[in-house]
Amino acid sequence: MILVLAGTKDGREIAERLKFKGFEVIASTVTDYGASLFSEGIKVHKGAMDELSLVNFIYKNNIDIVVDATHPFAKDVSINAINACNKTGIKYIRHERESLYYYNAIVVKSFEEAAEECKKYDSIFLTVGSKNLEKFRGLWEIGKKVTARVLPLSNVIKKCEDLGLKPKDIIAMEGPFTKELNYQMFKERNAEVVVTKDSGIVGGVLEKFEAAKMLGIPVILIKRPDINYPVVVTDVDSLINEVTKIGHKQY
């Protein structure tokens, strides 16, 4: 049995491809919305798991391979998965999106460093999601014009409001966003800088950079956390080959 930690579009594709190839698969995702995106025939576990609950899940479900296809910034989840695999003696494989660097990037190491860099600008467009939004709170509190683009979920909107953002400061939309749509949004908000995480091509980062280039504005790029993954693959075909090479039995 293969457990796919699937917090991303990549994770859903991997689970579907492995199932199609004849492997037994369980996909894990945190939210109801994430669980709803899988097609019929894929077993889905919904809810967050820490290291201990992941160890118990592995034993209970006879998991012998964990494929970590979580977001590049889900550091704690990946570390928990690596430790759980070490403790249970099973194989861990990381699917990592390729990291690219782009035109006019201001590369920073953390969300806090990004927020500090933003203080040089008056109009800021945040495309970092909602999880670390509080780290930018000081910007609107000192009078900066900040636009936060987030998922259109009620709990996310509430978090934005609780942090002091007004409705005019929030764009609640689900991506992916084209270069043209990014361009229109950045232009309409008179953005002087765009902030993004290094989520790779699948995460829509390239389209943000292309739109920013059209407007002649810089992009603050937050680097991924450093994690020492035991095994890393960067495309789905290589992942399936790796699973097959391990000798996992098909059903």
Side-chain angles (χ1 to χ4, degrees):
M1 181 73 75
I2 302 173
L3 172 61
V4 179
L5 303 178
T8 60
K9 180 181 177 182
D10 315 61
R12 296 193 296 275
E13 180 186 351
I14 287 165
E16 301 282 355
R17 288 278 301 276
L18 287 171
K19 179 73 175 177
F20 179 76
K21 286 286 186 179
F23 293 105
E24 287 189 283
V25 177
I26 300 177
S28 175
T29 184
V30 175
T31 64
D32 290 333
Y33 178 65
S36 72
L37 298 176
F38 287 91
S39 64
E40 292 185 17
I42 297 287
K43 298 177 185 177
V44 180
H45 172 269
K46 184 179 63 182
M49 290 190 282
D50 59 16
E51 183 181 321
L52 179 59
S53 58
L54 189 52
V55 167
N56 292 334
F57 188 89
I58 287 168
Y59 283 132
K60 181 179 178 181
N61 294 277
N62 297 313
I63 304 297
D64 46 21
I65 299 175
V66 171
V67 175
D68 179 4
T70 56
H71 194 278
F73 283 80
K75 180 178 181 180
D76 291 344
V77 180
S78 293
I79 290 174
N80 287 340
I82 293 168
N83 291 340
C85 288
N86 287 337
K87 288 182 178 179
T88 55
I90 68 169
K91 188 72 175 180
Y92 168 95
I93 305 173
R94 169 64 180 171
H95 177 267
E96 180 77 342
R97 300 171 178 177
E98 289 191 71
S99 182
L100 302 172
Y101 289 96
Y102 310 87
Y103 160 85
N104 215 12
I106 301 169
V107 181
V108 297
K109 296 179 181 178
S110 66
F111 291 91
E112 291 83 358
E113 190 177 339
E116 191 63 31
E117 185 69 26
C118 283
K119 291 179 180 178
K120 299 176 182 177
Y121 306 90
D122 291 324
S123 182
I124 301 135
F125 200 107
L126 299 178
T127 67
V128 296
S130 60
K131 186 176 181 182
N132 292 279
L133 198 55
E134 63 275 4
K135 293 171 183 174
F136 297 89
R137 184 175 190 168
L139 295 173
W140 52 89
E141 290 182 340
I142 62 173
K144 300 291 186 181
K145 179 186 175 184
V146 178
T147 299
R149 190 169 72 191
V150 297
L151 283 172
L153 298 171
S154 57
N155 62 311
V156 172
I157 303 299
K158 185 178 186 303
K159 179 176 181 178
C160 291
E161 292 174 340
D162 290 346
L163 288 173
L165 287 169
K166 306 299 182 186
K168 65 179 177 61
D169 305 321
I170 304 165
I171 296 177
M173 291 180 66
E174 182 179 19
F177 299 95
T178 63
K179 173 183 69 176
E180 291 76 18
L181 186 52
N182 279 321
Y183 171 82
Q184 291 298 332
M185 289 185 183
F186 300 164
K187 182 180 179 182
E188 192 274 332
R189 294 302 175 107
N190 294 314
E192 296 174 5
V193 67
V194 176
V195 186
T196 185
K197 299 177 291 188
D198 179 13
S199 301
I201 292 176
V202 176
V205 178
L206 184 58
E207 287 80 5
K208 297 175 190 177
F209 270 88
E210 289 174 339
K213 183 178 181 180
M214 291 169 66
L215 290 166
I217 60 175
V219 177
I220 297 173
L221 180 71
I222 304 168
K223 288 183 65 176
R224 299 175 185 180
D226 293 324
I227 302 174
N228 185 23
Y229 299 112
V231 179
V232 180
V233 295
T234 56
D235 64 87
V236 179
D237 289 335
S238 297
L239 179 96
I240 292 172
N241 289 338
E242 185 69 22
V243 170
T244 304
K245 188 172 65 176
I246 290 167
H248 184 74
K249 293 182 180 179
Q250 295 183 339
Y251 69 96

